[in-house]
Amino acid sequence: MEKVKIVSYEKKYNDGIVDCMIESSDYWGGSITFRTSREVDAWIKTMDYEEIFLALLEDRVIGICTLEKFWADRNVLYVGLLNVTPEFHGMKIGKKLLLRALEKSIELKKPELDLYTWAGNTKAVPLYKKCGFFWEKRDKNIRLVNYIPFIMNNELLKNYLADFHWYADYKREIILEPDGRPEGDFEFYDYIWEKDDKKFILSFEVKGHGLTKIDCEDFMIKMELKEKRAIVGKESKVLFKILNKSDKPLSVEIKGKDDEVVKFDFSESVEIENKKIIEAEFEVMNSFEVKNDTKRIPGVCAGLKINGKEIEFRKGIYPLNPLKIDLITKSEEAYENSYQKMFLEVENNLSYKTSFHVDLPEIPDFQSDQKSMEIDLDGFGKKSIQITGFLKGSAVIDGCLSYHEKGYPREMFKEKISGGFSTHGNTFLEENRGDKSIGLHAGRFEARYFSRRNQVGLTKDGVFLDFEPAFYPPKIGKPYSRELELLKPLSIECFSEKDENCIQMEYESHEYKSLKIKNRVYLGRDGLAKRKIILENTSKEVEFKDLWIADPFYSVEQNSYVPYKDGIMYARSDSDTFQINYEKLTENWIFSKGKNYNVGICWDKNLKIELNGFLFNLHHEAGNLKPGEKWESPFIYISIEEYDMESFRKFALKNSDPVTLPVFNETELVINGGNPVLKEDFDVYIRNELFSDFDGNAGISSKGHCFEKIQVKAQEKKNIKLLKSGKLDIIKEKLDNGNFKTHKKAVYPVVGTEEVEYSELSDGRKVVNNGKIEMKASEKFPNTLYSIKYNGFEWLENSYPEAGPFSWWNPWTGGIANYSDDLRQTNFMKEPFKVEYSEKKDNFGNVWKGLSLITEFKESEKYRGLEVRQNFLLLPGVELLSVNTELFNDTGKLLDGYRSITCAFLHLEEKFKSSWFKVEYDDCSRKYIAGNRENLIDAADKIIVGSDERKDKINIFSADKKTVLVGYSNILTLFVEFEQRAIIEHGQRKTLPPVFFAFSKKDIKRKLFSEILKIRF
C-alpha cells in the first residue's frame, strides 16, 4: 500500500472519519462512534489530543490514530484510538500509524508511549509487540507500554543503538500472552537488538517503569534490590553491579535522586578496570498506597554518568509501614441507639512474628470499652478484629490511629483514618412562620405545625400526601387527658440539636400543674421524620406519680404491609387496615406503598401499637417524676419515599440481614401450605386474617391438566390429587368473598416421579439430568458450567475444552460462569477448582439436586481464603433451573460490597441474527435482535431469550428485586448477566438469592412467577 500516506488531522477530513468508523462498526462490536461531521467536531473539541493521524488512500480516510496525554500517569503519551477500515486489515496500515505516533512521541521528548485494547483483540498484539510494545499482565484488559521514546531521546543509548536499525534488528519472540521476565521479586521487559556479532540489551522494570540494566559491547551495568517491599524505618539497600568489557577504564558516577516518599542521598564516582559492586542505602520516609494500578509506583532513582554521558536508572518499590491497618465500618445503614460493629483490619508487613500496641482515636457518639489493644501477628499475618460499641448518633470517624512495635515505643506510627456510621442525619434548618402554621423545611420535605389540633403534618413538595402522615399531640394520664389537642403552645421554635433540625412545641399542662410537655419533631432531607416527647417537672415540691403517655400518630391506609403471625400480610384496601388485629403484629413497623411514594412507620420494639379510631397509639410508662426531673420517650419514625418495604423493615429492626418472611394477602387461597413446589397430592383452603366474617368461595384449576378443577368454601379444606407431573404448570385461582373478586394466575413446578440422575463420563466430566434438562461441567474447564441441553438443543455458547480469545474477552470460556468486579476469569483459572454433585433444601423443605462448581482462592493476595460455590440445581422432571452463588469468607477481613456477577453466554442457532433477547417494561416489552449492532440493557426485571428458529425460549428472572439483570448482544454473541452484592464478615457463609431459568414455548410474565420468587436456599 505505497499510495497510503499518513497526515495530520484537518477539519476537511471529518466526513471521511465518519465513513471510516461506520465501516469499522462490526469490528467494534456493532457500535458506531461517529455518525455525522458535527459529532466529529464535538469529539475533537472535548478531547485533549497531542495529535491525530489519519491514513489516506488518495482522499479516502482508511485509518485513524489519536495521540493524547495519558490520563493515569505523568509525562506519558497514550494511543487513545487506533482503527483501520476492515477492508485494509493486514496491509500494514496500523503499523504505519503506530510508528508515526512513536515518531511524534520521540519528537515531543516523552519517555513512554502506552495503549490499551480489549482482552479479546489478540490479533493486533503481534503488531504492537513488533513496534516495541510490551503486554502488561492484567486481568480486565490489555495494556501495552513502549520505552522506545526514552531510548531514542537519550544520547548514551542512542549512540549504542546507532549500530542497529531499531525496528529491523529488534529481536523478539512474538507470543500471544503477557510479557515480563521474572527475576527474584521483580519482572522486567527486555529490549534486545542483534546484528552480525553485536548485541545490545536494555531491561526496564515493570512496575517502576524505569531502566535497570544496560548490556552493550563496552560494559554492563545493573541495578538490584533484594525485594520490592521496603519498610519504613528499616534498613534498605540497593546494589549497582558494573562490568567493564572494554580495554579502557570505565568512568561511572552515581548520584541518588529523591522520588516521592523515597529519599536517596548518595554520591560516588569510580574508575573501573574490570568489575565492581557499589552498595548504597536509601530511606523510605512514609508508606505509599498505590491507588491506581496504571500509574508507576515510587522508585529508587539514580542519575548515572557513564563516560560522561547521563542516564537515569529507576526501580519500583512498595514503601510500607510495619503494619497495614484500617478501621472500617460497613457501608450499609447503621441505626442510632443500638449496638453496632466496626472492624480493625491489620496485616503484618514484616517477615517475622511481631507484637503491636494500637491506640484507637476517640469517636464521638460511639461508646466502646476497646480503646487500645495488643495484637500478635505472624510474619505477613493478618487479622480482622471486631469492635462493638453503642451508637448514640451519627458517629463520624476522623482522627489518627497510632501504633508501635512492642519494644520500640519511640518508633510511633500514625495512620489517619476517616469514615463513620451512615445513619439518617438531617441537613439544614429553615423556618417559615405564618399566622396559622410554622414549617420546618428539609429538601423537598416539610414538617409543618398546624394550630388546629396541634398536629405536625408531613408534606412533600408543599403538597400533603394521600396518607397525610402526621404526629398528633400526646395525651397525659392515666386516665388520659386530651387537653393538648386544644391547648395553645407556650412556644414554637425551630432549632438544631446535634446537627439535626427540629421543630418543637412546648406546652404547660393545666391538669398537671408545673408539668411541661415538649413535642419535638425532627426532619431529615431524605424524608425521615421522628418524634420525641419530653416531660419536665418544673415544680419544687410536687411529684407526679404513675404517669402514662399516649403517643398518637396518623395511621397508614391502603396497600399496607404489616408483620403478622408467620409472615408479612398485605392489605390492599384502606378499609381492610381497620380490620387487622394489631395485637398479633410480630414486629415494630407498618409500611404503605403509595402511587408516587412510600410511607413507613416504626417504633420502639418494646412497645405495642393499637388502633384507636383513625389513629395509632403507643403507650409509654413514664412512671414517677420527681421535682426537677425529666423523662424522654423513645422515637417514633415516619419515612416518606426513602425506603422500599424490605429496606424499611431492616431500619425498623436495626438489622441489616433479617430472616426473610413470606408475604401473603389478608384474604387468599392457600395452596400446598404456601409451598410453591408440588410433588404429591396437596391441600387448599381459604385464609382470612381480618376481623370481618368471611363467607365466600374459591375455585382452582390447572392449565396443564395436572388436576381436576375444584371449588372450596370458607372454613373448608380440600385435598387435590395430582393426575400429571413433571412440568411447569399455570394454576388459576378465583376468589369471591362477597365484597370483592380476585383472579390470579401463577406458575407452579410440578415435580416428576423420576429422580435426578448423576453420571460421569470417561474423561471425568460430570453430568446431571432431571429428565428434561441435562447439565455438564468439568474440573479441567474451571469455573464454568459449559453445557445445558433441553429438548435436544444446546443452550450455552462455550469454548470447551480450552479457553481462548473471543470478542471483548480473553480468556473466554463461555457457558455460565461467576466472577466479580476485580476477580475475572483469569483469576478463577489460577485457583484450585472442583465440581461436585450437590443436594440442597430450599426454605420450603424441597430437595433440589445438581452440580456445584467450587473455587477456593489461594493465589490471589486480596481474596486468599475466599470460597465461591456456584450451584446449578434441578427438580425431577421440571424445566426449571435454579442458579445461585454461595460465598464463604475465610480471608481474615470483611468483604464489604462484594460484587458477585454471573454471566450466561447463550447459544441459540447457527444463524445468529435470528437470536434475540426481550425485556419487559411497565408499559411494553422490547425485543433486541442479535448480530446487527451492540445492545446493552440493564436493570431489567426479567429477560426472555430465544430464536426465530426455535420453539422454546428461556425466561430468566431473579428471586430478589435488588439483583441487577443485564442483557447484551453484539455481532458475535448474546449473554445475560446478573449482579448481586454482599457484605460478608470473616468466617461467614452467605447464600445469595437464586436466579431462575425457566424453559417454555411461550413468554411468561414475571408476575406469574410470584410463587417461585419466594424460594430461597
Side-chain angles (χ1 to χ4, degrees), residues 88-101:
F88 299 97
H89 283 189
M91 299 183 184
K92 299 184 179 181
I93 310 301
K95 173 186 170 183
K96 290 185 176 183
L97 287 165
L98 207 52
L99 292 179
R100 184 67 188 92

Side-chain angles (χ1 to χ4, degrees), residues 429-457:
L429 179 65
E430 180 185 344
E431 286 189 46
N432 181 15
R433 294 185 177 271
D435 293 335
K436 296 183 179 179
S437 65
I438 299 172
L440 170 66
H441 296 257
R444 300 172 63 193
F445 303 95
E446 180 184 17
R448 180 164 290 276
Y449 165 76
F450 291 89
S451 58
R452 184 177 65 87
R453 298 188 68 185
N454 281 330
Q455 73 184 68
V456 178

Side-chain angles (χ1 to χ4, degrees), residues 111 134 147-148 150-151 157 181 187-191 193 202-207 209-213 312 314:
F134 289 90
Y147 299 107
I148 294 296
F150 174 88
I151 297 167
L157 303 181
R181 172 180 57 83
E187 281 191 309
F188 300 89
Y189 299 139
D190 296 326
Y191 284 99
W193 287 275
L202 299 174
S203 296
F204 289 80
E205 193 267 315
V206 170
K207 292 299 183 183
H209 292 240
L211 179 67
T212 59
K213 178 182 174 183
E312 181 180 276
R314 187 178 198 278

